[in-house]
């Protein structure tokens, strides 16, 4: 496959607006932007809708899918996202995973027809997660110094 012409990022979420804000900020600073982002909400929370309505990344379409909150139905939520996505290449990112600065670019470079790539997150642990969520540690600085901090 040549590099895909269009890339969609699908982010399944459940009420964690704080984490989603950090993810959106990280996406907005990617080396390559996706063409579209789908916030696949596994509920129907007014605060989430209000936040999604404020997302503005130039040249990136933002979609918000949702359904009634009847307990854990993440797969249904992801399927709802697939109904609106228009891009030829899909990337799925959990609603609590901050993507590295070259996340979209790396996917674009390794894209292949009829292939699914699976990745693994590294868990920063509660100490770093709390510092990132509270703003005490800038996620971009953490991204650049990741290897040093990991060990």
């Amino acid at each position: 496959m040549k590099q895909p012409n269009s890339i969609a990022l699908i982010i399944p979420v459940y009420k964690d607006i704080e984490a989603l804000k950090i993810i959106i900020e990280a996406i907005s600073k990617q080396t390559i932007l996706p063409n579209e982002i789908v916030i696949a909400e596994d509920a129907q929370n007014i605060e989430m809708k209000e936040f999604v309505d404020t997302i503005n990344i130039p040249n990136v379409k933002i979609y918000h899918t949702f359904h009634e909150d009847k307990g854990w139905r993440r797969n249904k939520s992801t399927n709802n996202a697939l109904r609106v996505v228009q891009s030829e290449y899909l990337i799925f990112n959990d609603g609590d995973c901050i993507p590295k600065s070259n996340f979209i670019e790396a996917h674009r470079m390794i894209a292949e027809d009829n292939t699914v790539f699976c990745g693994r997150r590294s868990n920063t642990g509660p100490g770093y997660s709390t510092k990132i969520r509270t703003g005490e540690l800038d996620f971009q600085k953490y991204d650049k110094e990741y290897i040093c901090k990991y060990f």
Side-chain angles (χ1 to χ4, degrees):
M1 170 185 222
K2 65 177 177 42
Q3 292 183 339
N5 293 319
S6 56
I7 297 173
L9 178 65
I10 298 171
I11 308 171
V13 296
Y14 181 76
K15 296 185 180 180
D16 194 348
I17 297 169
E18 184 179 303
L20 183 58
K21 285 179 182 179
I22 297 168
I23 292 167
I24 294 299
E25 185 178 349
I27 294 301
S28 71
K29 294 178 167 92
Q30 290 286 301
T31 54
I32 292 177
L33 292 173
N35 300 84
E36 52 188 350
I37 297 172
V38 183
I39 310 301
E41 184 182 3
D42 184 13
Q44 190 173 3
N45 182 300
I46 188 67
E47 289 85 9
M48 181 67 71
K49 180 192 180 320
E50 289 170 353
F51 171 68
V52 172
D53 287 346
T54 69
I55 299 171
N56 182 13
I57 303 172
N59 303 315
V60 177
K61 294 178 186 172
I62 307 295
Y63 300 99
H64 178 212
T65 60
F66 53 87
H67 54 238
E68 186 180 357
D69 189 355
K70 291 183 178 179
W72 191 83
R73 298 188 303 159
R74 180 180 176 196
N75 295 338
K76 179 176 176 37
S77 178
T78 302
N79 286 338
N80 290 340
L82 294 174
R83 289 185 179 95
V84 300
V85 77
Q86 298 173 17
S87 295
E88 65 182 350
Y89 188 81
L90 308 177
I91 301 172
F92 297 86
N93 188 69
D94 279 345
D96 62 352
C97 292
I98 304 169
K100 288 192 60 63
S101 59
N102 66 342
F103 182 68
I104 304 294
E105 180 180 16
H107 268 276
R108 187 171 186 258
M109 291 174 60
I110 64 171
E112 292 182 24
D113 285 333
N114 303 311
T115 303
V116 174
F117 294 101
C118 297
R120 185 165 165 85
R121 71 167 107 189
S122 72
N123 191 337
T124 61
Y128 284 116
S129 291
T130 300
K131 287 178 181 179
I132 290 169
R133 281 178 176 258
T134 61
E136 184 180 339
L137 175 62
D138 179 54
F139 75 86
Q140 289 180 292
K141 183 176 181 190
Y142 181 81
D143 181 37
K144 290 184 180 13
E145 299 174 0
Y146 170 75
I147 270 305
C148 296
K149 295 195 181 299
Y150 183 78
F151 295 105

